[in-house]
C-alpha cells in the first residue's frame, strides 16, 4: 500500500482521513487500517476513490499494491 500516494491526494484536496472516510460511507478506523496495509481494499472502495479524486481506477489499484497481470485473452 502506497499510503503517501493517498495522503497526497487528500492533501491536494484539503481532505482529512475522517472526511474521506465519511464521504465513502465507512468508519475512519476502516480507512486507516486499509491505508496502513492491515485491511484489504475492496473493489468498490477503489472505485469510490477513483471518482472522489478524479484519477483513473488503475492508478488507485496500482497504489494499493495489488499486482495486476495483463490478460492474454486466451484460457
Amino acid at each position: 500500500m502506497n499510503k503517501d500516494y493517498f495522503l497526497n491526494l487528500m492533501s491536494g484536496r484539503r481532505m482529512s482521513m475522517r472526511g474521506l472516510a465519511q464521504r465513502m460511507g465507512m468508519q475512519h478506523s476502516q480507512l486507516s487500517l486499509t491505508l496502513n496495509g492491515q485491511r484489504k481494499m475492496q473493489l468498490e472502495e477503489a472505485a469510490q476513490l477513483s471518482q472522489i479524486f478524479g484519477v483513473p481506477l488503475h492508478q488507485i489499484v496500482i497504489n494499493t499494491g495489488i499486482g495486476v497481470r495483463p490478460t492474454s485473452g486466451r484460457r
Side-chain angles (χ1 to χ4, degrees):
M1 175 65 70
N2 184 355
K3 184 177 180 178
D4 288 336
Y5 173 79
F6 295 101
L7 293 177
N8 286 334
L9 287 175
M10 287 186 281
S11 176
R13 287 155 183 84
R14 298 179 185 220
M15 186 179 294
S16 68
M17 196 177 303
R18 286 188 189 279
L20 178 59
Q22 183 177 27
R23 190 159 177 196
M24 294 176 70
M26 65 190 311
Q27 296 294 318
H28 168 262
S29 58
Q30 287 178 298
L31 182 58
S32 179
L33 288 171
T34 302
L35 294 181
N36 285 314
Q38 298 171 330
R39 177 182 171 274
K40 288 185 179 181
M41 183 176 290
Q42 303 298 310
L43 181 58
E44 296 84 15
E45 294 166 353
Q48 283 181 310
L49 290 172
S50 173
Q51 289 181 341
I52 290 168
F53 294 122
V55 298
L57 180 57
H58 75 273
Q59 285 184 359
I60 299 294
V61 171
I62 288 169
N63 283 284
T64 61
I66 299 171
V68 178
R69 294 178 302 199
T71 59
S72 66
R74 296 188 300 179
R75 289 186 175 227

Coordinates of all heavy atoms in Angstrom, one line a residue:
M1 N 0.9 -1.2 0.0 CA 0.0 0.0 0.0 C 0.9 1.2 0.0 O 1.8 1.4 0.8 CB -0.9 0.0 1.2 CG -1.7 1.2 1.4 SD -3.0 1.5 0.2 CE -4.2 0.2 0.5
N2 N 0.7 2.1 -1.0 CA 1.4 3.3 -1.0 C 0.6 4.4 -0.3 O -0.1 5.2 -0.9 CB 1.6 3.7 -2.5 CG 2.5 4.9 -2.7 OD1 2.9 5.6 -1.7 ND2 2.8 5.3 -3.9
K3 N 0.7 4.5 1.0 CA -0.1 5.4 1.8 C 0.2 6.8 1.4 O -0.7 7.6 1.4 CB 0.3 5.2 3.3 CG -0.5 6.0 4.2 CD -0.2 5.7 5.7 CE -1.0 6.6 6.6 NZ -0.8 6.2 8.0
D4 N 1.5 7.2 1.1 CA 1.8 8.5 0.7 C 1.0 9.0 -0.5 O 0.7 10.2 -0.6 CB 3.3 8.7 0.5 CG 4.1 8.6 1.8 OD1 3.6 8.9 2.8 OD2 5.3 8.2 1.7
Y5 N 0.8 8.1 -1.4 CA 0.0 8.5 -2.6 C -1.4 9.0 -2.2 O -1.8 10.0 -2.7 CB -0.1 7.3 -3.6 CG -1.0 7.5 -4.7 CD1 -0.6 8.2 -5.8 CD2 -2.3 7.0 -4.7 CE1 -1.4 8.4 -6.9 CE2 -3.1 7.2 -5.8 CZ -2.7 7.9 -6.9 OH -3.5 8.1 -8.0
F6 N -2.0 8.2 -1.4 CA -3.4 8.6 -0.9 C -3.4 9.8 0.0 O -4.3 10.7 -0.1 CB -4.1 7.4 -0.3 CG -4.3 6.3 -1.2 CD1 -3.4 5.2 -1.2 CD2 -5.3 6.3 -2.1 CE1 -3.6 4.1 -2.2 CE2 -5.5 5.3 -3.1 CZ -4.7 4.2 -3.1
L7 N -2.4 10.0 0.8 CA -2.3 11.2 1.7 C -2.0 12.4 0.8 O -2.6 13.5 1.1 CB -1.1 11.0 2.7 CG -1.3 9.9 3.8 CD1 -0.1 9.8 4.6 CD2 -2.6 10.2 4.6
N8 N -1.3 12.3 -0.3 CA -1.0 13.4 -1.2 C -2.3 13.8 -1.9 O -2.6 14.9 -2.1 CB 0.1 13.1 -2.2 CG 1.4 13.1 -1.6 OD1 1.7 13.8 -0.6 ND2 2.4 12.4 -2.1
L9 N -3.1 12.8 -2.3 CA -4.4 13.0 -3.0 C -5.3 13.8 -2.0 O -6.0 14.8 -2.4 CB -5.1 11.7 -3.4 CG -4.5 11.0 -4.6 CD1 -5.2 9.7 -4.8 CD2 -4.6 11.9 -5.9
M10 N -5.3 13.3 -0.7 CA -6.2 14.0 0.3 C -5.7 15.4 0.5 O -6.5 16.4 0.6 CB -6.2 13.2 1.6 CG -7.0 11.9 1.5 SD -7.2 11.1 3.1 CE -5.6 10.3 3.2
S11 N -4.4 15.6 0.7 CA -3.8 16.9 0.9 C -4.1 17.9 -0.2 O -4.4 19.0 0.1 CB -2.3 16.7 1.1 OG -1.7 18.0 1.3
G12 N -4.0 17.4 -1.4 CA -4.3 18.3 -2.6 C -5.7 18.8 -2.6 O -6.0 19.8 -3.3
R13 N -6.6 18.1 -2.0 CA -8.0 18.5 -2.0 C -8.4 18.9 -0.6 O -9.6 19.1 -0.3 CB -8.9 17.3 -2.4 CG -8.7 17.1 -3.9 CD -9.0 15.7 -4.4 NE -8.8 15.5 -5.8 CZ -7.6 15.3 -6.3 NH1 -6.5 15.2 -5.6 NH2 -7.5 15.1 -7.6
R14 N -7.4 19.1 0.3 CA -7.7 19.6 1.7 C -8.7 18.8 2.4 O -9.7 19.3 2.9 CB -8.1 21.1 1.7 CG -7.0 22.0 1.1 CD -7.4 23.4 1.1 NE -6.3 24.2 0.5 CZ -5.9 25.4 0.9 NH1 -6.5 25.9 1.9 NH2 -5.0 26.0 0.3
M15 N -8.5 17.5 2.3 CA -9.5 16.5 2.8 C -8.8 15.7 3.9 O -7.6 15.2 3.7 CB -9.9 15.6 1.7 CG -11.0 14.6 2.1 SD -11.5 13.6 0.7 CE -12.2 14.8 -0.4
S16 N -9.4 15.5 5.0 CA -8.9 14.7 6.1 C -9.2 13.3 5.9 O -10.1 13.0 5.1 CB -9.4 15.2 7.5 OG -10.8 14.9 7.6
M17 N -8.6 12.4 6.6 CA -8.9 11.0 6.6 C -10.3 10.8 7.1 O -11.1 10.0 6.5 CB -7.9 10.1 7.3 CG -8.0 8.7 6.9 SD -6.7 7.6 7.7 CE -5.2 8.4 7.3
R18 N -10.7 11.5 8.1 CA -12.0 11.3 8.6 C -13.1 11.8 7.6 O -14.1 11.2 7.4 CB -12.2 12.1 9.9 CG -11.6 11.5 11.1 CD -11.9 12.2 12.4 NE -11.2 11.8 13.5 CZ -11.4 10.7 14.2 NH1 -12.5 9.9 13.9 NH2 -10.6 10.3 15.2
G19 N -12.7 12.9 6.9 CA -13.7 13.4 5.9 C -13.8 12.5 4.7 O -14.9 12.3 4.2
L20 N -12.7 11.9 4.3 CA -12.7 10.9 3.2 C -13.5 9.7 3.6 O -14.3 9.2 2.8 CB -11.3 10.6 2.8 CG -11.2 9.5 1.7 CD1 -11.9 10.0 0.4 CD2 -9.7 9.2 1.4
A21 N -13.3 9.2 4.8 CA -14.0 8.0 5.3 C -15.5 8.3 5.3 O -16.3 7.5 4.9 CB -13.5 7.6 6.6
Q22 N -15.9 9.5 5.8 CA -17.3 9.9 5.8 C -17.9 9.9 4.4 O -19.0 9.4 4.2 CB -17.4 11.2 6.5 CG -18.9 11.6 6.7 CD -19.0 12.9 7.5 OE1 -18.1 13.7 7.5 NE2 -20.1 13.1 8.2
R23 N -17.1 10.5 3.5 CA -17.6 10.6 2.1 C -17.8 9.2 1.5 O -18.6 9.0 0.6 CB -16.6 11.4 1.3 CG -17.1 11.8 0.0 CD -16.4 13.0 -0.6 NE -16.9 13.2 -1.9 CZ -16.3 14.0 -2.8 NH1 -15.2 14.6 -2.5 NH2 -16.8 14.2 -4.0
M24 N -16.9 8.3 1.9 CA -17.0 6.9 1.4 C -18.0 6.1 2.1 O -18.3 4.9 1.7 CB -15.6 6.2 1.5 CG -14.6 6.9 0.6 SD -13.0 6.1 0.8 CE -13.3 4.5 0.0
G25 N -18.6 6.6 3.2 CA -19.6 5.8 4.0 C -19.0 4.7 4.8 O -19.6 3.7 5.0
M26 N -17.8 5.0 5.3 CA -17.1 4.0 6.1 C -16.6 4.6 7.4 O -16.5 5.8 7.5 CB -16.0 3.3 5.3 CG -14.9 4.2 4.9 SD -13.7 3.4 3.7 CE -13.3 1.9 4.4
Q27 N -16.2 3.8 8.3 CA -15.6 4.3 9.6 C -14.1 4.7 9.3 O -13.4 4.2 8.5 CB -15.6 3.2 10.6 CG -16.9 2.7 11.0 CD -17.7 3.8 11.8 OE1 -17.1 4.5 12.6 NE2 -19.0 3.9 11.5
H28 N -13.7 5.8 10.0 CA -12.3 6.3 9.9 C -11.3 5.1 10.2 O -10.3 5.0 9.6 CB -12.2 7.4 10.9 CG -10.7 7.8 11.1 ND1 -10.0 7.4 12.2 CD2 -9.9 8.6 10.4 CE1 -8.8 7.9 12.1 NE2 -8.7 8.6 11.0
S29 N -11.7 4.3 11.2 CA -10.8 3.2 11.5 C -10.6 2.2 10.4 O -9.5 1.7 10.2 CB -11.2 2.5 12.8 OG -12.5 1.9 12.6
Q30 N -11.6 1.9 9.6 CA -11.5 1.0 8.5 C -10.6 1.6 7.4 O -9.7 0.9 6.9 CB -12.9 0.8 7.8 CG -13.8 0.0 8.6 CD -15.2 -0.1 7.9 OE1 -15.8 0.9 7.7 NE2 -15.5 -1.3 7.5
L31 N -10.7 2.9 7.1 CA -9.9 3.6 6.2 C -8.4 3.6 6.6 O -7.5 3.3 5.9 CB -10.4 5.0 5.9 CG -9.6 5.7 4.8 CD1 -9.6 5.0 3.5 CD2 -10.2 7.1 4.6
S32 N -8.2 3.9 7.9 CA -6.9 3.9 8.5 C -6.2 2.5 8.4 O -5.1 2.4 7.9 CB -7.0 4.3 10.0 OG -5.7 4.3 10.5
L33 N -6.9 1.5 8.7 CA -6.4 0.1 8.6 C -6.1 -0.2 7.1 O -5.0 -0.8 6.8 CB -7.4 -0.9 9.1 CG -7.6 -1.0 10.6 CD1 -8.8 -1.9 11.0 CD2 -6.3 -1.5 11.3
T34 N -6.9 0.2 6.2 CA -6.7 0.0 4.8 C -5.4 0.7 4.3 O -4.5 0.1 3.7 CB -7.9 0.4 3.9 OG1 -9.0 -0.3 4.4 CG2 -7.7 0.2 2.5
L35 N -5.3 2.0 4.6 CA -4.1 2.7 4.2 C -2.8 2.3 4.8 O -1.8 2.5 4.3 CB -4.4 4.2 4.4 CG -5.5 4.9 3.6 CD1 -5.6 6.3 3.9 CD2 -5.3 4.6 2.1
N36 N -3.0 1.7 6.0 CA -1.8 1.1 6.7 C -1.5 -0.3 6.2 O -0.5 -0.9 6.8 CB -1.9 1.2 8.2 CG -1.8 2.6 8.7 OD1 -0.9 3.3 8.3 ND2 -2.7 3.1 9.6
G37 N -2.2 -0.8 5.3 CA -2.0 -2.2 4.8 C -2.4 -3.3 5.7 O -2.0 -4.4 5.5
Q38 N -3.3 -3.0 6.6 CA -3.7 -4.0 7.6 C -5.1 -4.6 7.2 O -5.6 -5.4 7.9 CB -3.7 -3.5 9.0 CG -2.4 -3.1 9.5 CD -2.4 -2.3 10.8 OE1 -3.4 -1.6 11.1 NE2 -1.3 -2.5 11.5
R39 N -5.7 -4.0 6.2 CA -7.0 -4.4 5.7 C -7.0 -4.3 4.2 O -6.5 -3.3 3.6 CB -8.1 -3.5 6.3 CG -9.5 -3.8 5.8 CD -10.5 -2.7 6.4 NE -11.8 -2.8 5.8 CZ -12.1 -2.2 4.7 NH1 -11.3 -1.4 4.0 NH2 -13.4 -2.4 4.2
K40 N -7.5 -5.3 3.5 CA -7.5 -5.2 2.0 C -8.6 -4.3 1.5 O -9.7 -4.2 2.0 CB -7.8 -6.6 1.4 CG -6.7 -7.6 1.6 CD -7.0 -8.9 0.9 CE -5.9 -9.8 1.0 NZ -6.1 -11.1 0.3
M41 N -8.2 -3.5 0.5 CA -9.2 -2.5 -0.1 C -10.1 -3.3 -1.0 O -9.7 -4.2 -1.7 CB -8.5 -1.5 -0.9 CG -9.4 -0.4 -1.5 SD -8.6 0.9 -2.3 CE -7.8 1.8 -1.0
Q42 N -11.4 -3.0 -0.8 CA -12.4 -3.6 -1.7 C -12.5 -2.9 -3.0 O -12.2 -1.7 -3.1 CB -13.8 -3.6 -1.0 CG -13.8 -4.2 0.4 CD -13.5 -5.7 0.3 OE1 -14.1 -6.4 -0.4 NE2 -12.5 -6.1 1.1
L43 N -12.9 -3.6 -4.0 CA -13.0 -3.0 -5.4 C -14.0 -1.8 -5.4 O -13.7 -0.8 -6.0 CB -13.5 -4.1 -6.4 CG -13.7 -3.6 -7.8 CD1 -12.3 -3.0 -8.4 CD2 -14.2 -4.7 -8.7
E44 N -15.1 -1.9 -4.6 CA -16.0 -0.8 -4.6 C -15.3 0.5 -4.0 O -15.6 1.6 -4.4 CB -17.2 -1.2 -3.8 CG -18.1 -2.3 -4.4 CD -17.5 -3.7 -4.0 OE1 -16.7 -3.8 -3.1 OE2 -17.9 -4.6 -4.7
E45 N -14.5 0.2 -3.0 CA -13.8 1.3 -2.3 C -12.8 2.0 -3.3 O -12.7 3.2 -3.4 CB -13.1 0.8 -1.1 CG -14.0 0.4 0.0 CD -13.3 -0.4 1.1 OE1 -12.1 -0.7 1.0 OE2 -14.0 -0.7 2.1
A46 N -12.1 1.1 -4.1 CA -11.1 1.7 -5.1 C -11.9 2.5 -6.1 O -11.4 3.6 -6.5 CB -10.4 0.5 -5.7
A47 N -13.1 2.0 -6.5 CA -13.9 2.8 -7.5 C -14.3 4.1 -6.9 O -14.3 5.1 -7.6 CB -15.1 1.9 -7.9
Q48 N -14.7 4.1 -5.6 CA -15.1 5.3 -5.0 C -13.9 6.3 -5.0 O -14.1 7.5 -5.2 CB -15.5 5.1 -3.5 CG -16.9 4.5 -3.4 CD -17.3 4.3 -1.9 OE1 -16.5 3.7 -1.2 NE2 -18.4 4.8 -1.5
L49 N -12.8 5.9 -4.6 CA -11.6 6.7 -4.6 C -11.3 7.3 -5.9 O -10.9 8.5 -6.1 CB -10.4 6.0 -4.0 CG -10.4 5.6 -2.5 CD1 -9.3 4.7 -2.1 CD2 -10.4 6.9 -1.7
S50 N -11.4 6.5 -7.0 CA -11.2 7.0 -8.3 C -12.2 8.1 -8.7 O -11.7 9.1 -9.2 CB -11.4 5.8 -9.3 OG -11.4 6.2 -10.6
Q51 N -13.4 8.0 -8.3 CA -14.4 9.0 -8.5 C -14.2 10.3 -7.7 O -14.2 11.4 -8.2 CB -15.8 8.5 -8.3 CG -16.2 7.5 -9.4 CD -17.7 7.0 -9.1 OE1 -18.2 7.1 -8.0 NE2 -18.2 6.5 -10.2
I52 N -13.9 10.1 -6.4 CA -13.7 11.2 -5.5 C -12.5 12.0 -5.9 O -12.6 13.3 -5.9 CB -13.5 10.7 -4.0 CG1 -14.8 10.1 -3.5 CG2 -13.0 11.8 -3.1 CD1 -14.7 9.3 -2.2
F53 N -11.4 11.4 -6.3 CA -10.2 12.1 -6.6 C -10.0 12.4 -8.1 O -9.1 13.1 -8.5 CB -8.9 11.3 -6.1 CG -8.9 11.3 -4.6 CD1 -8.9 10.1 -3.9 CD2 -8.9 12.5 -3.8 CE1 -8.8 10.0 -2.5 CE2 -8.8 12.4 -2.5 CZ -8.8 11.2 -1.8
G54 N -10.9 11.8 -8.9 CA -10.8 12.1 -10.4 C -9.6 11.5 -11.0 O -9.0 12.1 -11.9
V55 N -9.1 10.3 -10.5 CA -8.0 9.7 -11.1 C -8.4 8.3 -11.7 O -9.4 7.7 -11.2 CB -6.8 9.5 -10.1 CG1 -6.3 10.8 -9.6 CG2 -7.2 8.6 -8.9
P56 N -7.7 7.8 -12.7 CA -8.1 6.5 -13.3 C -8.1 5.4 -12.2 O -7.2 5.4 -11.3 CB -7.1 6.3 -14.4 CG -6.6 7.6 -14.7 CD -6.6 8.4 -13.4
L57 N -9.0 4.5 -12.3 CA -9.1 3.3 -11.4 C -7.8 2.6 -11.3 O -7.3 2.1 -10.3 CB -10.3 2.4 -11.8 CG -10.5 1.2 -10.9 CD1 -10.7 1.6 -9.4 CD2 -11.7 0.4 -11.4
H58 N -7.1 2.4 -12.5 CA -5.9 1.6 -12.5 C -4.8 2.2 -11.6 O -4.0 1.6 -11.0 CB -5.4 1.3 -13.9 CG -4.7 2.5 -14.6 ND1 -5.5 3.4 -15.3 CD2 -3.5 2.8 -14.7 CE1 -4.6 4.3 -15.8 NE2 -3.4 4.0 -15.4
Q59 N -4.8 3.6 -11.5 CA -3.8 4.2 -10.6 C -4.1 3.9 -9.2 O -3.2 3.7 -8.4 CB -3.8 5.8 -10.9 CG -3.2 6.2 -12.1 CD -3.1 7.7 -12.3 OE1 -3.6 8.4 -11.4 NE2 -2.5 8.2 -13.4
I60 N -5.4 3.9 -8.8 CA -5.7 3.5 -7.4 C -5.3 2.1 -7.2 O -4.7 1.8 -6.2 CB -7.3 3.7 -7.2 CG1 -7.7 5.1 -7.5 CG2 -7.7 3.2 -5.8 CD1 -7.2 6.1 -6.5
V61 N -5.6 1.2 -8.1 CA -5.3 -0.2 -7.9 C -3.8 -0.4 -7.8 O -3.3 -1.1 -6.9 CB -5.8 -1.1 -9.1 CG1 -5.3 -2.5 -9.0 CG2 -7.4 -1.1 -9.0
I62 N -3.0 0.2 -8.7 CA -1.5 0.1 -8.6 C -1.0 0.6 -7.3 O -0.1 0.0 -6.7 CB -0.9 0.9 -9.8 CG1 -1.1 0.2 -11.1 CG2 0.6 1.1 -9.5 CD1 -0.8 1.1 -12.3
N63 N -1.5 1.7 -6.7 CA -1.0 2.2 -5.5 C -1.5 1.5 -4.2 O -1.1 1.8 -3.1 CB -1.3 3.7 -5.4 CG -0.4 4.5 -6.3 OD1 0.8 4.7 -5.9 ND2 -0.8 4.9 -7.4
T64 N -2.5 0.6 -4.4 CA -2.8 -0.3 -3.3 C -1.9 -1.4 -3.2 O -1.9 -2.2 -2.2 CB -4.3 -0.8 -3.4 OG1 -4.3 -1.6 -4.6 CG2 -5.3 0.3 -3.5
G65 N -1.0 -1.6 -4.2 CA -0.1 -2.7 -4.1 C -0.6 -4.0 -4.7 O 0.1 -5.1 -4.6
I66 N -1.8 -4.0 -5.3 CA -2.3 -5.2 -5.8 C -1.6 -5.4 -7.2 O -1.6 -4.6 -8.0 CB -3.8 -5.1 -6.1 CG1 -4.5 -4.8 -4.7 CG2 -4.4 -6.3 -6.8 CD1 -6.0 -4.5 -4.9
G67 N -1.1 -6.6 -7.3 CA -0.5 -7.0 -8.6 C -1.5 -7.3 -9.7 O -2.4 -8.1 -9.5
V68 N -1.5 -6.6 -10.8 CA -2.4 -6.8 -11.8 C -1.6 -7.3 -13.0 O -0.7 -6.7 -13.5 CB -3.1 -5.5 -12.2 CG1 -4.1 -5.7 -13.4 CG2 -3.9 -4.9 -11.0
R69 N -2.0 -8.5 -13.4 CA -1.3 -9.2 -14.6 C -2.2 -8.9 -15.8 O -3.4 -9.1 -15.8 CB -1.2 -10.7 -14.4 CG -0.3 -11.0 -13.2 CD -0.2 -12.5 -13.1 NE -1.6 -12.9 -12.8 CZ -1.9 -14.1 -12.3 NH1 -1.0 -14.9 -12.0 NH2 -3.2 -14.4 -12.1
P70 N -1.6 -8.5 -16.9 CA -2.3 -8.4 -18.1 C -2.8 -9.7 -18.6 O -2.2 -10.8 -18.4 CB -1.3 -7.8 -19.1 CG 0.0 -8.1 -18.5 CD -0.2 -8.3 -17.1
T71 N -4.0 -9.7 -19.2 CA -4.6 -11.0 -19.7 C -4.2 -11.1 -21.1 O -4.0 -10.2 -21.9 CB -6.1 -10.9 -19.6 OG1 -6.6 -9.8 -20.3 CG2 -6.6 -10.8 -18.1
S72 N -4.1 -12.4 -21.5 CA -3.7 -12.7 -22.9 C -4.9 -12.9 -23.8 O -4.7 -12.9 -25.0 CB -2.8 -13.9 -22.9 OG -3.6 -15.1 -22.5
G73 N -6.0 -13.0 -23.2 CA -7.2 -13.2 -24.0 C -7.5 -14.7 -24.2 O -8.5 -15.1 -24.8
R74 N -6.5 -15.5 -23.8 CA -6.6 -17.0 -24.0 C -6.8 -17.7 -22.7 O -6.3 -17.2 -21.7 CB -5.4 -17.6 -24.7 CG -5.2 -17.0 -26.1 CD -4.1 -17.7 -26.8 NE -2.8 -17.6 -26.1 CZ -1.7 -18.1 -26.5 NH1 -1.7 -18.8 -27.5 NH2 -0.6 -17.9 -25.8
R75 N -7.5 -18.8 -22.7 CA -7.6 -19.6 -21.5 C -6.9 -20.9 -21.6 O -6.7 -21.5 -22.5 CB -9.1 -19.8 -21.2 CG -9.8 -18.6 -20.8 CD -11.2 -18.9 -20.4 NE -11.8 -17.7 -19.9 CZ -12.5 -17.6 -18.8 NH1 -12.7 -18.6 -18.1 NH2 -13.0 -16.4 -18.4

